[in-house]
Amino acid sequence: MSPLSVADGRPPHRSHRLPRRGAGVCARLGAGWLALVATAQAAGIYSCVDANGRRYTSDRPIAECLDREQRVLNKDGSQKQTLPPRMNAEERALAEERQRLQEQAVAAQKDAVRRDRNLMLRFPDEAAHNKAREAALDDLRRGVVASERRLQDLLDERKPLLAETEFYKGRRLPHKLKAKLEANDAQQQAQRDIIQNQQAETVRINALYDAELARLQRLWAGAAPGSMPPPSAAPAHR
């Protein structure tokens, strides 16, 4: 191809080269733009008007027009394609962030589909789910029973201590007796706290299983895996 001249009398534009990509340029975006360039370079003439209204033509991408569209023409002057503007650093950063968020969304959707499918495999029916719920609650129930039994033992141990205090009405209790009463009080309170925590945990686990069962019921009814919002937390299945 013979050299092409710029309309304003400048020398041929063959010397223009693409600037180096700065740090942080997304390889995929750069590769995509260069692929368009390679396709256009197979046989084409570039034409553009820069920011100052100056028209350029060349047989390769025009550096002065990298921030705007460049028309790629066939040898007969007809338009072959349009080369889009090459992104600046800020535009590339925004495009990369959009790409990252899109990839995160795709990955999250795949995870949601996988979780729902695994949930259906684990619990093919409500009976299987109820069995898992009961297993999760068994330890808590046993813990409550043990704490209640220990609390009753402490109440029984307190009775003779209280009886002993009758001998000291109007007088200061012996240090040893007072220490036993205080220790008994502390142990009773500890068992009451344990029972309260176990009861609260029972409520929490039942709420999680209720939410999971509602999700399963929709899946069993034909809802597509991954089509529902993710649960806030999953029960600790055994």
Side-chain angles (χ1 to χ4, degrees), residues 140-154 187-188 190-196 198:
L140 288 172
R141 290 167 178 157
R142 285 194 293 267
V144 170
V145 170
S147 294
E148 289 175 342
R149 185 181 300 119
R150 176 56 182 156
L151 183 59
Q152 185 58 53
D153 289 343
L154 290 167
Q187 291 177 44
Q188 284 190 51
Q191 293 304 318
R192 291 189 181 97
D193 290 343
I194 291 173
I195 292 171
Q196 184 177 5
Q198 289 168 329

Side-chain angles (χ1 to χ4, degrees), residues 35 54 66 95 111-112 127 137 195 215:
R54 186 173 297 169
L66 290 179
D111 286 343
L137 294 173
I195 292 171
R215 187 180 191 89

Side-chain angles (χ1 to χ4, degrees), residues 24-37:
V25 175
C26 177
R28 293 191 299 274
L29 295 172
W33 193 86
L34 292 175
L36 288 173
V37 171

